Amino acid sequence: MQDYKTTWREKLGYGVGAVGLDLSYGLFYSYLSYYLSSVLGLKEAFLLILTPIARIWDGINDPIMGTIVDSTKTKMGKYRPWILIGAFSNAVVLSLLFTSFGMSGTRLYIYIAVMYILWGMTNTMADIPYWSMVPSFTNDREDRNLVATVARTFSGLGQGIITVMTPIVLPLLSSGMTTEKGYSASGFSKWAIICGVCLLLFSSLCVLSTKERHVVYNTEKFSFKKMFGVIIKNDQLLWFMIFAMFSNAGWYLTSGTAVYYFTDVLENSTAQSAFSMIGAVGSVLGLLVIPVLEKKFSNRTIYQISLLLAIIGYVLMFIFGPVLKITILLDLSYIISSIGIGSMFVAQTVFLADIVDYGEYKLGKRNESITFSIKGFLQKMAYTIQTIILFGGLGIMNYNSQITTGSINGETKNVIGIICFGVPPVLIAISLIIFSKKFKIHGELRQNIHDFISARRGETNESAE
């Protein structure tokens, strides 16, 4: 059976959907912490308690959503209806999460807690079906890698818009009571609404531009036993969860702490835009070098190279940032780590598609959406690690009281620098070690899996004829 190859119209249409998803995702993971602590003045202990509770619920909710998607069968397909439903729901919740309606005290804490959990649920509704579509487009290995690369490129664009534009846009949209850097609750609210509208628009374009082909529907009734059995029995999925969580947490620490570093340490919030722009350039370069590296190296080797580049870049950023405070060299070092991070995320998407095939090869069932639900859950777990490290450090340094007085002391600035640039390379190094020792889908095994899937699809088509 000859593998179908997607058209560029479909690749680009699919990729556009990632822009909207990552506008919401980027605003949540890169700026929510700052919004809650520095703009609304919520206590550090609040997020330290809320985030783990939300992750416990996500651990149940995300695989359930994956199972629901796996069992969905409509005229539009299996994934696309949920992309629209999830995008609309997430856009509404994102706007509400960054709009406090003038509340304060206990009411505000309860409101934020509810919206925080709802954001995770609605993000899951859109994110799982979106990334689960990758294996349904094509069985061709190179074309699948290209689809994932295009999607990750657009995903990086969405996050780049957030990290580059937010420090510029927020002061323009802000009114009423603002921080010293010109940020206000009203500015965040308006920006979140704009991002929500874009999320719905881009998701709609994605649905209209794509077609599901290699779709296997789950006809079994839902049960927690079967759901967790899929996760536990797929050993490569379990190891993926561990090494991806560590590496992603390293990057999230930088993306979530950068606003503190540039606003409170360097006292130059607009410098974050230049820093993020340079990072975006590095991410694009990381995506561009993948096709070149694929000609000489396996996906396994490319991933190892990516993590090594990220570690080297972070070490240089720590030296030129918190230690020597040479901003221009800090920015240039970010290119190196961003090249590694950009290609790392593409490889992770490809690995998940391979893990779906591995599940069919080993267990006889694909379970795309349950497997890809792990991606969203991992992002949230990585954010949990980020929250614990960031707010644990800020809480110990009594950051909230310093914000109230308008003066951040030197020790707190040092801690912020270490969290932003010193801890991430350690987490990524741990990820590299685990991946190198435990991830086995490469070489002969990967080829055997591909041959098995292709032969099985050929038998299915012949039976249908």
Side-chain angles (χ1 to χ4, degrees), residues 330-355:
L330 165 69
D331 291 349
L332 293 176
S333 300
Y334 193 31
I335 293 180
I336 300 174
S337 61
S338 295
I339 290 173
I341 294 297
S343 56
M344 176 192 82
F345 279 125
V346 173
Q348 287 180 1
T349 303
V350 173
F351 288 152
L352 274 175
D354 288 342
I355 289 170

Side-chain angles (χ1 to χ4, degrees), residues 121-183:
M121 294 177 65
T122 55
N123 174 259
T124 294
M125 290 170 64
D127 190 72
I128 288 177
Y130 178 82
W131 292 105
S132 298
M133 286 179 70
V134 173
S136 77
F137 290 133
T138 176
N139 287 327
D140 185 88
R141 184 167 59 188
E142 291 184 1
D143 195 45
R144 179 184 287 183
N145 286 1
L146 188 54
V147 170
T149 300
V150 170
R152 283 306 319 180
T153 301
F154 279 93
S155 174
L157 175 61
Q159 291 202 34
I161 291 172
I162 289 297
T163 55
V164 173
M165 295 302 296
T166 300
I168 298 172
V169 170
L170 277 181
L172 299 177
L173 297 177
S174 294
S175 59
M177 185 178 296
T178 64
T179 66
E180 290 184 358
K181 307 306 176 185
Y183 298 167

